[in-house]
Amino acid sequence: MASRYDLICNVNGGSEHKIWRIKVRVIRLWRSSYFKDNNNKPMIELVVLDEQGGRIQCTVKSIHVYLFENSINEGNVYMLENLSVALNSGKYKPTMHEFRMFFKRETRVTLVEDSSIPLYGFSFVPFVEILNETKDDRRLVDVLGVVTGKGNLIEFKKEGKPCNYVVIELENIEGGLKLRCTLWEDYAFMFLKHLEDHPSESYVVVLQFAKMKNFKGSVGVSNTTYNSKLFINANIPEIEDFQMRLKSSDSQQGIQFSQLSDHASLTLEEEFLERGVYKSIADLKEVTQNSVFVTIGTVKDIESEYNWCYRACKKCSLGLKLDGSMFYCKKCVTHYSTFVTRYSIQLRVVDETDSASFILFDKEASNFLKIPAYELRTSYIAKGGDKNRHPEEIDSFKDKKFLFKVQVKIQDMESIVPYVISISRLCFEDNIIASFEKKYQIEEVALIQDNSELLSQFTESSDLLKILQVPFYRLEKTASNMDSSVIKVLDVDLAEYCGNASFDTPSKCKGEMHSEQTIVRVAVHGDEQSAKKLRKVIKEEKN
């Protein structure tokens, strides 16, 4: 005769003497501690599932952990007998059951084989139900969708502790609704690593036991610290079925994996004074992985060797290549007859520690200049502007101090210039800049200084010029005071390292030499022949 057991839907707190017996699969197991007590082990929390899809939370209290910690594993099926019942009153509820269960000293745990109970027991909540929430809901939900957008990894400090998160956008199939999903800490790194290690046309995501959060009027979801479980293009029936429906859906052609703005809902104060992680320019150049930081600096020059605008795709903003009479987008794999003009301005930025090239793109450039790129380009061409220079309006950036939110993207650590620094947000409000300087105790420092030891004396014109490691604007300053018959210091041609700029696509100059090297071009004037020879001098930084 088959053993009898109770279904989760029938569990209640009616009888004190009732001995509950349930056959369940452990679909989630985690440890938590509500009190800092080094003498007790963290409690074990479980979410269990029965054959009819019922879910209930079970807890092993600290005093009983030693009895059961080696007897229960996530994914296994157990017969659990003699548990107590209490109201489900936790802060976040991984199940909607009215009650939860607690292990007792007398509880019996028996491992059983039963394939009739699902492995994961998902209970997906429609996007429309989440988006229609008007306040934070304490229940934890399961969501399923295809990734249509991704923000950058954001790093900041809260109460002195480093925090990290990335925002992604999920879309369902039927209604075309989009849901904001924030992945924190290990979940963020897991997602980004999967994208790096497993390139794919689409990414279907399941976030199980996610919490709903109303952030400035918009409801989204995020992982919790312990409960949540993340699946990305996993070989499970729910994701495989979604991928099949996605392929056959008319929306397949319309789904674009876009770059999300990191500051859609953040004020400038929040962005730069509360959440941003500050690094000086010298520190930015020591970064060894893709990161986002805030910094402060003064724009000393516009690097005119790189075009200030480019032909952009109307859908994805990537640079277009001229292909006959059409314009081709590599990302969209499509030819277009028209394009959108967007800004891509190379700024030379300095602070008291170093200098670097920052790339400023369309949105922030338009916000500062108060004129769209296409209007400025049309006006510039009408005035007969030199295509090798930039409009005078862009010079309004020069000699002005800004706060920058920048993304440092590593391209090749073995190259001379291993990174690209691009600006994702710009702040030019004096009061916020002053608060930033006060917070990080940034003092005004004379950026241009004479260096009497910059140049050595020569006995012959063929002698090799010895150059100390000094930012380029200082080299020009010092060299200008030298006898021009002895030496002439020329500007560095960064295009040699970054590729020739063209109007077809933004020039992604890597902005600066590696901090352990300084590269300049010099011409020694002793005779006419040697004056035509440009020598590269690389001085390795000596520790």
Side-chain angles (χ1 to χ4, degrees):
M1 181 176 177
S3 299
R4 295 183 58 83
Y5 48 86
D6 301 291
L7 295 174
I8 287 176
C9 63
N10 294 326
V11 172
N12 61 72
S15 174
E16 181 180 355
H17 303 292
K18 167 71 174 175
I19 297 179
W20 295 102
R21 193 167 189 260
I22 57 176
K23 184 173 69 170
V24 293
R25 186 185 299 276
V26 179
I27 60 173
R28 194 67 176 120
L29 182 153
W30 71 96
R31 291 174 179 263
S32 64
S33 178
Y34 297 113
F35 306 100
K36 294 182 178 179
D37 186 351
N38 295 329
N39 296 322
N40 291 322
K41 292 185 176 182
M43 294 187 296
I44 299 176
E45 300 284 358
L46 315 169
V47 176
V48 298
L49 176 78
D50 69 12
E51 61 196 44
Q52 290 195 356
R55 301 198 302 189
I56 194 168
Q57 183 177 354
C58 299
T59 300
V60 182
K61 294 181 179 180
S62 297
I63 58 173
H64 296 144
V65 165
Y66 77 97
L67 293 172
F68 301 104
E69 61 183 341
N70 297 321
S71 303
I72 308 172
N73 292 296
E74 186 173 305
N76 289 343
V77 177
Y78 299 95
M79 191 72 73
L80 303 180
E81 187 175 359
N82 199 1
L83 298 93
S84 62
V85 177
L87 287 173
N88 185 13
S89 58
K91 180 179 180 181
Y92 291 107
K93 300 178 180 180
T95 81
M96 291 307 295
H97 202 291
E98 182 182 359
F99 299 95
R100 62 190 295 182
M101 307 186 83
F102 287 86
F103 282 59
K104 303 187 295 185
R105 185 179 297 276
E106 299 81 16
T107 298
R108 294 179 59 187
V109 178
T110 306
L111 179 66
V112 298
E113 295 290 336
D114 191 333
S115 59
S116 66
I117 302 178
L119 288 174
Y120 306 107
F122 297 120
S123 180
F124 295 116
V125 177
F127 284 11
V128 65
E129 183 177 331
I130 297 173
L131 294 170
N132 286 337
E133 286 288 341
T134 58
K135 59 182 180 180
D136 290 350
D137 194 316
R138 298 300 185 183
R139 61 174 169 154
L140 301 182
V141 297
D142 302 344
V143 295
L144 166 67
V146 61
V147 179
T148 56
K150 178 189 75 68
N152 295 315
L153 179 67
I154 305 300
E155 302 175 82
F156 66 99
K157 288 187 177 181
K158 184 177 181 180
E159 298 177 355
K161 296 181 179 180
C163 300
N164 305 272
Y165 73 89
V166 65
V167 175
I168 63 175
E169 181 183 74
L170 300 179
E171 183 175 326
N172 62 8
I173 297 177
E174 291 77 11
L177 296 176
K178 294 186 177 182
L179 182 68
R180 173 190 172 102
C181 176
T182 305
L183 300 176
W184 291 87
E185 306 304 339
D186 291 344
Y187 295 82
F189 295 123
M190 174 183 173
F191 176 80
L192 295 174
K193 181 171 176 53
H194 185 94
L195 264 59
E196 181 180 347
D197 294 344
H198 306 282
S200 175
E201 293 182 359
S202 63
Y203 298 91
V204 177
V205 165
V206 169
L207 184 60
Q208 190 176 28
F209 304 121
K211 66 180 178 181
M212 290 184 280
K213 191 70 176 177
N214 190 320
F215 183 72
K216 296 190 175 181
S218 178
V219 179
V221 298
S222 70
N223 64 277
T224 63
T225 304
Y226 303 109
N227 317 66
S228 302
K229 203 168 184 178
L230 180 63
F231 302 82
I232 309 167
N233 282 358
N235 296 322
I236 59 176
E238 292 80 4
I239 286 183
E240 291 173 347
D241 176 68
F242 189 97
Q243 290 171 328
M244 290 297 294
R245 291 187 290 127
L246 185 64
K247 290 179 180 179
S248 61
S249 171
D250 293 336
S251 66
Q252 171 72 0
Q253 297 299 322
I255 293 177
Q256 298 287 335
F257 194 101
S258 59
Q259 180 70 26
L260 300 180
S261 171
D262 298 325
H263 57 268
S265 303
L266 297 180
T267 65
L268 288 170
E269 290 86 351
E270 290 172 326
E271 190 82 85
F272 290 99
L273 301 179
E274 298 177 18
R275 297 204 173 191
V277 176
Y278 167 66
K279 283 190 180 295
S280 67
I281 291 178
D283 289 336
L284 289 178
K285 292 159 69 173
E286 297 296 329
V287 170
T288 58
Q289 62 182 5
N290 295 347
S291 307
V292 175
F293 300 103
V294 295
T295 192
I296 186 171
T298 300
V299 176
K300 299 306 294 182
D301 201 5
I302 311 298
E303 298 183 336
S304 297
E305 62 266 39
Y306 303 100
N307 282 304
W308 58 274
C309 64
Y310 70 102
R311 300 185 184 102
C313 174
K314 293 182 290 184
K315 283 190 175 182
C316 68
S317 299
L318 193 70
L320 299 175
K321 293 291 184 181
L322 185 62
D323 187 8
S325 60
M326 302 288 284
F327 303 99
Y328 179 71
C329 177
K330 182 179 179 180
K331 181 176 180 180
C332 299
V333 197
T334 305
H335 282 86
Y336 298 100
S337 58
T338 59
F339 60 86
V340 177
T341 302
R342 293 184 178 274
Y343 286 112
S344 173
I345 305 172
Q346 202 88 24
L347 304 176
R348 191 68 186 177
V349 182
V350 299
D351 69 1
E352 71 276 10
T353 67
D354 211 330
S355 66
S357 292
F358 292 3
I359 304 175
L360 180 65
F361 287 109
D362 193 70
K363 184 175 180 178
E364 295 301 313
S366 298
N367 184 42
F368 178 79
L369 295 172
K370 306 300 182 186
I371 181 173
Y374 73 90
E375 286 188 15
L376 185 56
R377 180 173 178 266
T378 301
S379 172
Y380 187 61
I381 292 175
K383 295 176 183 178
D386 185 350
K387 67 178 182 179
N388 295 318
R389 296 191 57 79
H390 56 262
E392 62 181 10
E393 288 85 346
I394 293 179
D395 284 329
S396 60
F397 284 102
K398 293 176 65 174
D399 298 317
K400 187 170 181 63
K401 183 182 291 185
F402 296 92
L403 296 179
F404 304 92
K405 180 179 180 181
V406 297
Q407 179 182 12
V408 182
K409 184 176 181 180
I410 304 300
Q411 294 195 330
D412 182 3
M413 289 302 296
E414 300 300 321
S415 67
I416 296 174
V417 186
Y419 50 79
V420 171
I421 302 177
S422 58
I423 301 166
S424 60
R425 199 172 191 184
L426 199 63
C427 174
F428 42 89
E429 294 187 13
D430 292 338
N431 60 322
I432 299 178
I433 292 174
S435 297
F436 188 92
E437 290 178 320
K438 182 178 180 180
K439 177 178 180 179
Y440 294 104
Q441 300 180 342
I442 299 172
E443 299 179 358
E444 289 289 344
V445 177
L447 294 178
I448 299 177
Q449 304 173 2
D450 290 334
N451 190 335
S452 60
E453 297 182 2
L454 177 64
L455 302 174
S456 60
Q457 299 296 321
F458 295 92
T459 55
E460 296 180 8
S461 63
S462 60
D463 287 343
L464 188 65
L465 174 64
K466 297 180 180 179
I467 300 178
L468 298 177
Q469 182 165 325
V470 181
F472 298 125
Y473 59 86
R474 296 185 186 174
L475 288 176
E476 295 178 18
K477 170 77 174 179
T478 307
S480 65
N481 297 327
M482 303 297 295
D483 187 343
S484 61
S485 65
V486 176
I487 183 169
K488 179 181 179 182
V489 179
L490 304 179
D491 290 338
V492 176
D493 183 9
L494 291 180
E496 177 177 344
Y497 307 100
C498 306
N500 293 325
S502 72
F503 180 64
D504 290 336
T505 189
S507 175
K508 298 222 172 179
C509 172
K510 296 169 187 172
E512 180 54 64
M513 304 305 113
H514 191 276
S515 61
E516 294 183 354
Q517 297 177 332
T518 299
I519 300 181
V520 296
R521 291 178 175 271
V522 298
V524 181
H525 293 254
D527 54 72
E528 185 173 348
Q529 181 178 3
S530 62
K532 296 180 181 179
K533 294 181 180 179
L534 296 177
R535 302 187 181 185
K536 293 180 183 177
V537 180
I538 301 178
K539 180 176 179 62
E540 297 288 343
E541 181 180 60
K542 296 182 178 179
N543 296 324

